[in-house]
Amino acid sequence: MSRQADRDPNHALRARFDDVVSQYQRLRLGLDDIQDRLARLSVTAESPDGLVKATVGARGQLVDLRLDREVYRRQDPDQLSRTILRTVEKAVAKTTDQVQAMVGEYLPADSPGARFMRDGDFGGLLARQDRLMREAGDDDDR
């Protein structure tokens, strides 16, 4: 009876390990795909009046900016600057959503990496490692 009891936790541990390995293998195999898709990603946003178009790459870098000639007649320089900034911000937000969706295809939604992609919080990304380091330090103090 005690042998069966000993095997149950080992079976659960083995199943969890197999799940983690499977997730890692899926992520690793998908890494090349993600990198290729990210390299090709560009997103364009348009101002409400259609006179400003901004295109950004996967990291939110501005790669193209198009201004219709009419914009110079309708807006003063300050208005135009604000319109450009809002349009670029809109393109960056759309890009962020697409990058998160791509990465989400390979990372579990509750994983630290996926959470970091959503909120950019380095503290959350490293929280588990911080806890493990504190626990290791507590063990050394004993």
Side-chain angles (χ1 to χ4, degrees), residues 18-29:
D18 289 345
D19 183 49
V20 169
V21 168
S22 172
Q23 288 177 13
Y24 171 78
Q25 288 172 336
R26 185 169 165 253
L27 176 61
R28 189 67 190 108
L29 291 172

Side-chain angles (χ1 to χ4, degrees), residues 15-61:
R16 176 67 181 133
F17 177 76
D18 289 345
D19 183 49
V20 169
V21 168
S22 172
Q23 288 177 13
Y24 171 78
Q25 288 172 336
R26 185 169 165 253
L27 176 61
R28 189 67 190 108
L29 291 172
L31 195 56
D32 290 337
D33 177 55
I34 289 175
Q35 286 179 325
D36 183 52
R37 290 167 61 193
L38 289 173
R40 291 182 285 120
L41 181 66
S42 68
V43 175
T44 300
E46 192 173 302
S47 63
D49 60 11
L51 300 178
V52 176
K53 293 180 184 173
T55 303
V56 298
R59 292 178 305 232
Q61 74 279 19

Side-chain angles (χ1 to χ4, degrees), residues 16 19-20 23-24 26-27 100 102-129:
R16 176 67 181 133
D19 183 49
V20 169
Q23 288 177 13
Y24 171 78
R26 185 169 165 253
L27 176 61
Q100 288 175 358
M102 270 186 226
V103 172
E105 295 171 18
Y106 297 94
L107 290 177
D110 63 339
S111 71
R115 282 193 302 272
F116 175 74
M117 291 297 297
R118 284 191 301 274
D119 61 25
D121 178 17
F122 279 108
L125 181 63
L126 299 175
R128 181 172 181 264
Q129 287 73 19

Side-chain angles (χ1 to χ4, degrees), residues 43-56 62 64-67 80-94:
V43 175
T44 300
E46 192 173 302
S47 63
D49 60 11
L51 300 178
V52 176
K53 293 180 184 173
T55 303
V56 298
L62 185 63
D64 191 29
L65 180 64
R66 303 287 172 147
L67 305 175
L80 178 56
S81 295
R82 286 189 301 275
T83 300
I84 291 170
L85 286 174
R86 282 192 302 268
T87 305
V88 170
E89 288 170 351
K90 190 161 94 175
V92 169
K94 288 169 63 175

